[in-house]
Amino acid sequence: MHGLIEEQLSMLGSRQAVADELGVSRTAVSLYLAGKLEANGGRIDRFERRAIERFCDRIMCPFLGSDISQANCQSNCERAIPTSDPAALRHWSACKRCPFNSALMEQEQAC
């Protein structure tokens, strides 16, 4: 993950520019690159999730605990209910209430 941030740093030219893209402070970028961003409280997880979502067109799937493409996320959200695989059913259920589910986002915006 450090490589992704370093790549963006070289492309954007400054830690402040990377921070602006991520919506975080320049200090957070500096601490992350130095390996000193706090692990407790989920700060590293949130930072890396933002970086993946912003720079990779990928989403950190809360169910899987790993990043997946937005297209894969969308296909998981739209698939029919699996009836013969308990693990797939748990994943499908998690997708139905996931904040990345576009159908759920549209319902919330309509309210």
Side-chain angles (χ1 to χ4, degrees), residues 50-91:
R50 282 183 182 206
I52 289 168
E53 291 168 4
R54 175 64 185 100
F55 299 132
C56 298
D57 193 33
R58 298 182 71 78
I59 293 172
M60 183 63 77
C61 176
F63 179 80
L64 296 173
S66 62
D67 62 296
I68 60 173
S69 70
Q70 289 185 357
N72 188 351
C73 176
Q74 191 62 35
S75 69
N76 285 331
C77 289
E78 294 173 350
R79 71 179 176 189
I81 185 171
T83 57
S84 61
D85 182 355
L89 179 60
R90 285 190 297 276
H91 190 177

Side-chain angles (χ1 to χ4, degrees), residues 5-6 8-31 33 47 50 54-55:
I5 300 301
E6 290 169 352
Q8 292 302 315
L9 181 60
S10 68
M11 288 175 53
L12 297 172
S14 72
R15 291 179 182 202
Q16 184 62 54
V18 172
D20 291 343
E21 286 291 320
L22 291 174
V24 300
S25 69
R26 183 198 53 78
T27 304
V29 173
S30 295
L31 288 172
L33 289 172
F47 185 92
R50 282 183 182 206
R54 175 64 185 100
F55 299 132

Side-chain angles (χ1 to χ4, degrees), residues 1 9-10 12 22 32 34 36-37 40-42 44 46 49 54 65 67 75 92 99 104 106 108:
M1 180 58 71
L9 181 60
S10 68
L12 297 172
L22 291 174
Y32 181 79
K36 296 181 180 178
L37 192 63
N40 60 356
I44 290 174
R46 287 191 311 245
R49 182 175 57 242
R54 175 64 185 100
D67 62 296
S75 69
W92 180 87
L104 186 61
E106 290 171 7
E108 289 175 358

